[in-house]
């Protein structure tokens, strides 16, 4: 199938114009720009210990480990990275990660049960297979690894070797996520992410031969120089490799935060309508290929655990993205990592040197955070429900809550547009409303209403 039109009939120009506004992605609530109630180190320890004691025996805990080093800069990227070709940075950084982990072990006072580990970056496969093993051995030696543990890592096709795959598989990893973004050589060149199809094919085949059971491809729509034809070609190539999951992310153009994005001339970026057309094309093709849409931006084959979790309403969303299960405590290790005790958030220092210095002093290395109050927790749960299940249910107490009452009122225009259905004790996002899930959540974001940012701090919602 070849698509020539930039604006398929399913796209409403009027809706795009109305709802394409800056908005959070809701990997947390409150969102990071509205973290005002910074916990002290003592308070953070109390929050972590309470969460750990409440859930470790039953659910275990999750770990996110940020490995920030990359050998080159991808100019579209919004992640916290450190660009270097000096691999001597690996061992000192791992030593610091293990020191930070010990700070948490001291708070737990008993062996944690690890339910999930995700290695993110940066480029985790910048690290040698030997050093990744050293890191994981250090993390797990004083912990209990759950029988149904979910271990995953992000790999760059350019440097994910068979040794990486085999070493991590032997450590229990079964999930691999590959950053593809786009297969078009022109797009790869302008975003400085060059990786031919054959390279991705080799890594994918190696992973399957070794025994990985869930392979994810990250794709991005809205990148400079993308066209309907180029995205269609990328998706056809993806279909040849049949990953179990696909994350189809909207490119977040935030040049005020990421100076490398200023290298894109405005005329190279698709318009709002063209960008939405790229998503509609992808969604249609993924569905024709047998994938089911999960939450926001994600697609999975019916055989994948993420699809099963969504079907059974067990889907969870946190700073690692969507997960097939929920742990109350997520510990983030490494520079810029975010930890979530459910009742509080903290983010580590972003610069490697500052992060290392604080850990070496025996301090939790965070520089910002938020302790959630009762109102935060109520709104957080409803926003989480909407992001994961596209619906939420109101209790009588909820309906007497001024923030929720006001949020429901704000949805009147969206209901007229067919994006939501408001029922006496339930809110449902319709199929037509899926592209606007962030806008729906914004109606219940009390901090966003109250502060009304004067400058743009979020990417566009559409």
């Amino acid at each position: 199938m070849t698509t020539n039109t930039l604006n398929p009939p399913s796209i409403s120009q009027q809706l795009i114009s109305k709802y394409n506004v800056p908005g959070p992605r809701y990997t947390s609530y409150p969102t990071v720009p509205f973290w005002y109630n910074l916990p002290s180190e003592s308070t953070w320890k109390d929050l972590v210990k309470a969460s750990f004691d409440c859930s470790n025996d039953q659910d275990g805990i999750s770990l996110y480990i940020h490995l920030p080093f990359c050998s080159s800069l991808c100019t579209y990227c919004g992640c916290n990275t450190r660009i270097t070709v000096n691999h001597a940075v690996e061992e000192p950084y791992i030593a610091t990660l293990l020191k930070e982990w010990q700070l948490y072990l001291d708070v737990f006072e008993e062996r944690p049960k690890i339910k999930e580990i995700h290695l993110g970056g940066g480029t985790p496969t910048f690290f040698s297979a030997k050093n990744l093993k050293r890191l994981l051995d250090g993390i797990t030696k004083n912990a209990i690894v759950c029988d149904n543990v979910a271990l995953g890592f992000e790999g760059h096709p350019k440097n994910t070797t068979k040794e990486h795959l085999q070493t991590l598989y032997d450590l229990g990893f079964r999930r691999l996520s590959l950053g593809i973004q786009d297969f078009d050589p022109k797009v790869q060149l302008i975003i400085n992410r060059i990786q031919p199809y054959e390279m991705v094919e080799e890594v994918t085949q190696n992973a399957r031969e070794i025994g990985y059971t869930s392979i994810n491809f990250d794709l991005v729509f809205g990148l400079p120089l993308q066209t309907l034809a180029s995205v269609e070609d990328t998706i056809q190539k993806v279909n040849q490799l049949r990953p179990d999951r696909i994350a189809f992310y909207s490119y977040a153009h935030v040049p005020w935060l990421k100076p490398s994005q200023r290298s894109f001339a405005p005329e190279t970026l698709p318009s709002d309508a063209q960008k939405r057309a790229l998503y509609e094309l992808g969604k249609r093709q993924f569905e024709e290929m047998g994938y089911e849409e999960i939450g926001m931006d994600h697609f999975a084959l019916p055989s994948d655990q993420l699809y099963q979790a969504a079907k059974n309403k067990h889907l969870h969303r946190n700073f690692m993205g969507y997960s097939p299960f929920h742990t109350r405590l997520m510990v983030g290790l490494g520079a810029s990592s975010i930890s979530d005790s459910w009742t509080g958030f903290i983010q580590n220092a972003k610069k490697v040197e500052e992060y290392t210095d604080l850990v070496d002093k025996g301090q939790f290395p965070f520089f910002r955070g938020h302790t959630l109050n009762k109102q935060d927790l109520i709104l957080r749960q409803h926003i989480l429900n909407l992001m994961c299940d596209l619906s939420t249910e109101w209790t009588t107490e909820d309906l007497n809550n001024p923030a929720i009452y006001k949020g429901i009122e704000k949805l009147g225009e969206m209901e007229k547009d067919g994006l939501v259905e408001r029922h006496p004790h339930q809110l449902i996002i319709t199929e037509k409303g899926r592209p606007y899930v962030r806008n729906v959540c914004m109606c219940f974001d009390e901090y966003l209403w109250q502060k009304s940012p004067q400058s743009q701090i979020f990417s566009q919602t559409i």
Side-chain angles (χ1 to χ4, degrees):
M1 176 186 73
T2 302
T3 308
N4 296 314
T5 176
L6 281 176
N7 300 307
S10 59
I11 296 179
S12 167
Q13 300 300 319
Q14 185 179 5
L15 290 179
I16 292 172
S17 298
K18 184 186 291 189
Y19 295 112
N20 190 27
V21 296
R25 290 179 181 257
Y26 292 110
T27 48
S28 73
Y29 181 82
T31 57
V32 175
F34 302 119
W35 288 0
Y36 300 118
N37 189 11
L38 176 68
S40 65
E41 181 164 318
S42 175
T43 297
W44 176 243
K45 289 179 181 179
D46 290 342
L47 294 176
V48 168
K49 186 66 164 67
S51 181
F52 179 85
D53 289 345
C54 177
S55 63
N56 184 59
D57 285 345
Q58 182 175 349
D59 300 321
I61 70 169
S62 297
L63 270 73
Y64 171 78
I65 304 175
H66 191 70
L67 303 172
F69 303 107
C70 296
S71 58
S72 62
L73 176 66
C74 300
T75 50
Y76 74 93
C77 183
C79 299
N80 185 65
T81 59
R82 172 64 61 89
I83 308 304
T84 182
V85 293
N86 177 17
H87 286 268
V89 299
E90 294 182 34
E91 292 190 14
Y93 188 76
I94 288 173
T96 307
L97 288 170
L98 295 177
K99 287 179 185 177
E100 185 188 6
W101 177 231
Q102 186 60 52
L103 295 176
Y104 280 98
L105 292 174
D106 291 344
V107 172
F108 299 156
E109 297 179 336
E110 62 179 275
R111 296 174 72 191
K113 294 181 178 178
I114 295 178
K115 184 67 174 287
E116 180 179 27
I117 298 177
H118 185 75
L119 307 181
T123 308
T125 46
F126 172 94
F127 287 70
S128 70
K130 178 182 177 181
N131 278 333
L132 289 176
K133 183 178 187 306
R134 177 186 166 211
L135 169 63
L136 271 300
D137 286 343
I139 293 290
T140 58
K141 73 176 182 180
N142 292 314
I144 299 168
V145 179
C146 295
D147 292 338
N148 59 344
V149 67
L151 304 180
F153 72 98
E154 298 168 10
H156 192 318
K158 207 168 191 175
N159 62 15
T160 301
T161 65
K162 207 163 187 176
E163 184 183 8
H164 281 115
L165 293 168
Q166 188 65 60
T167 297
L168 290 170
Y169 181 87
D170 292 343
L171 290 167
F173 282 72
R174 298 294 181 268
R175 293 166 50 189
L176 164 66
S177 181
L178 293 174
I180 310 301
Q181 323 322 341
D182 192 293
F183 279 121
D184 185 338
K186 296 191 298 297
V187 176
Q188 290 188 1
L189 182 62
I190 197 171
I191 66 172
N192 197 35
R193 177 89 180 193
I194 298 171
Q195 50 199 27
Y197 170 83
E198 293 74 19
M199 184 180 289
V200 176
E201 180 182 39
E202 180 181 3
V203 176
T204 303
Q205 289 179 349
N206 286 340
R208 286 201 170 116
E209 288 171 4
I210 287 170
Y212 284 80
T213 55
S214 183
I215 296 175
N216 173 77
F217 282 4
D218 282 349
L219 304 176
V220 177
F221 65 93
L223 291 170
L225 301 183
Q226 278 184 329
T227 65
L228 287 168
S230 71
V231 169
E232 182 175 30
D233 182 68
T234 289
I235 292 172
Q236 288 174 351
K237 287 183 169 67
V238 167
N239 193 33
Q240 293 174 31
L241 300 177
R242 298 291 289 175
D244 304 277
R245 303 178 187 177
I246 297 168
F248 194 42
Y249 292 119
S250 169
Y251 165 58
H253 191 58
V254 286
W256 58 91
L257 293 177
K258 293 296 176 179
S260 63
Q261 295 183 354
R262 296 174 190 161
S263 63
F264 305 145
E267 60 270 18
T268 66
L269 294 169
S271 68
D272 293 345
Q274 290 168 346
K275 184 178 181 182
R276 198 64 212 168
L278 295 174
Y279 175 80
E280 294 287 340
L281 168 66
K283 172 181 166 66
R284 186 168 61 251
Q285 288 196 302
F286 295 142
E287 289 174 348
E288 290 172 358
M289 290 155 49
Y291 292 86
E292 300 283 344
E293 190 168 15
I294 306 295
M296 182 182 76
D297 302 331
H298 287 66
F299 297 82
L301 293 174
S303 57
D304 190 79
Q305 190 180 24
L306 201 65
Y307 170 80
Q308 298 297 330
K311 182 180 177 181
N312 296 320
K313 293 192 177 296
H314 294 154
L315 198 65
H316 182 58
R317 182 173 173 84
N318 56 30
F319 289 99
M320 296 187 286
Y322 284 110
S323 172
F325 45 75
H326 175 221
T327 61
R328 186 178 177 89
L329 177 61
M330 187 192 80
V331 173
L333 302 177
S336 81
S337 280
I338 294 175
S339 296
D340 176 2
S341 71
W342 186 254
T343 51
F345 303 112
I346 56 104
Q347 182 175 21
N348 285 350
K350 292 186 175 183
K351 291 184 177 179
V352 172
E353 293 81 5
E354 184 179 354
Y355 160 74
T356 301
D357 181 59
L358 290 169
V359 173
D360 284 345
K361 290 176 180 176
Q363 299 176 23
F364 281 87
F366 62 89
F367 77 104
R368 65 179 170 190
H370 184 87
T371 304
L372 281 73
N373 58 34
K374 182 179 179 182
Q375 177 77 342
D376 293 339
L377 290 167
I378 292 169
L379 295 174
R380 179 184 188 182
Q381 186 61 63
H382 286 299
I383 288 173
L384 181 63
N385 294 345
L386 292 168
M387 292 299 297
C388 292
D389 302 330
L390 304 177
S391 67
T392 195
E393 295 184 359
W394 314 118
T395 65
T396 301
E397 184 179 358
D398 287 334
L399 295 173
N400 290 326
N401 185 310
I404 289 177
Y405 182 81
K406 186 176 180 180
I408 293 171
E409 279 194 323
K410 286 174 174 281
L411 292 167
E413 193 69 20
M414 288 189 179
E415 188 169 48
K416 288 179 184 177
D417 289 331
L419 308 183
V420 299
E421 295 175 1
R422 294 182 298 177
H423 300 281
H425 291 280
Q426 188 180 33
L427 173 65
I428 298 173
I429 299 175
T430 65
E431 184 64 28
K432 183 180 179 182
R434 266 186 178 270
Y436 307 96
V437 61
R438 292 165 68 185
N439 302 78
V440 176
C441 293
M442 287 165 66
C443 292
F444 300 96
D445 190 335
E446 194 171 28
Y447 288 93
L448 191 63
W449 316 335
Q450 292 173 348
K451 300 302 176 182
S452 299
Q454 298 303 303
S455 59
Q456 186 168 354
I457 57 177
F458 299 113
S459 62
Q460 299 296 107
T461 56
I462 308 299

